[in-house]
Amino acid sequence: MTEVKGKRGDKARETRRRIIDAAADLFVEQGYGATKLQEIADRAGVAVQTIYFVFRNKPTLLKELVDVAIAGDDDPVPTMDRPWFAEVTTAPTAESALAALVTGTRRTLERVAAIDEMVRAAAATNPEIRELWPQRTNPRYTVISTAARALTEKPGARPALSATEVADIVYALLSPELFLVLTRDRAWPPDKWERWAYDTLCSQLMVSGQDSSP
């Protein structure tokens, strides 16, 4: 009986993930408003009633796919409790902390940057989308500011920069918008973006990156 329940659970998770993947693809390709649940069901290979049963409605499906895109899985583990973020906070130097932050951010942006753009466009014309994220605080800035505080306390960080200044610089340079400009619009490979982002941030935030000229 336990094995049967386990197989049913695995099948349910697989179905859920197929629906999320299909919705993500179609929302990005066509836009949230233009995509019908029947189209998502057809691409996922399920009945449209299955989507209603699992997610209840279209906005809830959007919220779920955003959460999965940010995390990379459907485990209920916040970003700051994930192993890649622990590497940022426990790194011995500011440079190694920055390297872990840029690498982790790249992996996240590869999943979520285009989705973030789609959500912004959808929220502009759909009040129910804005209501999905009612908090006033910006979750991405919360993650970045926590990393910035850790980074400024490590050897190699520029002492003249406050944690707030570091957070603002990192927040801007590692933004989904700039990631899309370079990797989608200018066709940079993601590894090139990662090297550029790290080198640019090093020049701004690290003692070794300071201009020695008077």
Side-chain angles (χ1 to χ4, degrees):
M1 181 66 69
T2 302
E3 183 179 352
V4 172
K5 288 182 179 179
K7 289 181 179 179
R8 287 175 179 170
D10 291 343
K11 185 175 181 180
R13 283 191 294 272
E14 180 187 346
T15 299
R16 187 182 191 92
R17 191 56 189 257
R18 286 207 318 273
I19 294 170
I20 288 172
D21 289 345
D25 290 343
L26 286 166
F27 286 162
V28 170
E29 290 170 14
Q30 303 179 168
Y32 173 83
T35 301
K36 308 300 182 185
L37 287 181
Q38 185 62 59
E39 294 176 288
I40 296 171
D42 292 343
R43 182 167 293 198
V46 301
V48 71
Q49 290 83 359
T50 301
I51 298 180
Y52 285 113
F53 177 77
V54 175
F55 297 100
R56 300 198 313 276
N57 54 47
K58 191 175 172 184
T60 303
L61 172 56
L62 175 64
K63 178 66 165 59
E64 181 75 11
L65 79 85
V66 170
D67 291 345
V68 170
I70 292 171
D73 55 49
D74 53 7
D75 294 335
V77 180
T79 297
M80 289 188 289
D81 292 336
R82 290 183 172 265
W84 77 263
F85 194 81
E87 292 181 20
V88 178
T89 57
T90 61
T93 66
E95 287 189 358
S96 56
L98 179 61
L101 178 61
V102 172
T103 297
T105 300
R106 169 198 162 176
R107 292 170 181 162
T108 301
L109 289 176
E110 286 184 283
R111 298 188 302 266
V112 82
I115 291 173
D116 179 80
E117 182 181 59
M118 174 271 295
V119 170
R120 288 173 181 269
T125 55
N126 295 271
E128 71 272 16
I129 301 304
R130 294 193 293 272
E131 294 171 3
L132 293 175
W133 292 276
Q135 68 270 23
R136 294 181 180 274
T137 58
N138 183 323
R140 188 171 77 84
Y141 188 81
T142 298
V143 171
I144 292 295
S145 61
T146 302
R149 286 195 299 272
L151 191 150
T152 56
E153 296 171 355
K154 298 179 186 297
R158 284 194 184 190
L161 290 175
S162 69
T164 299
E165 290 173 307
V166 171
D168 289 347
I169 293 168
V170 174
Y171 183 78
L173 215 66
L174 302 188
S175 68
E177 296 88 349
L178 186 52
F179 181 82
L180 288 177
V181 166
L182 294 175
T183 61
R184 183 188 63 190
D185 300 346
R186 301 307 308 156
W188 281 24
D191 60 339
K192 179 178 179 179
W193 174 90
E194 183 176 342
R195 290 192 302 271
W196 169 82
Y198 175 75
D199 290 344
T200 304
L201 286 171
C202 270
S203 72
Q204 295 290 311
L205 308 179
M206 302 296 126
V207 172
S208 60
Q210 292 188 37
D211 187 350
S212 59
S213 62

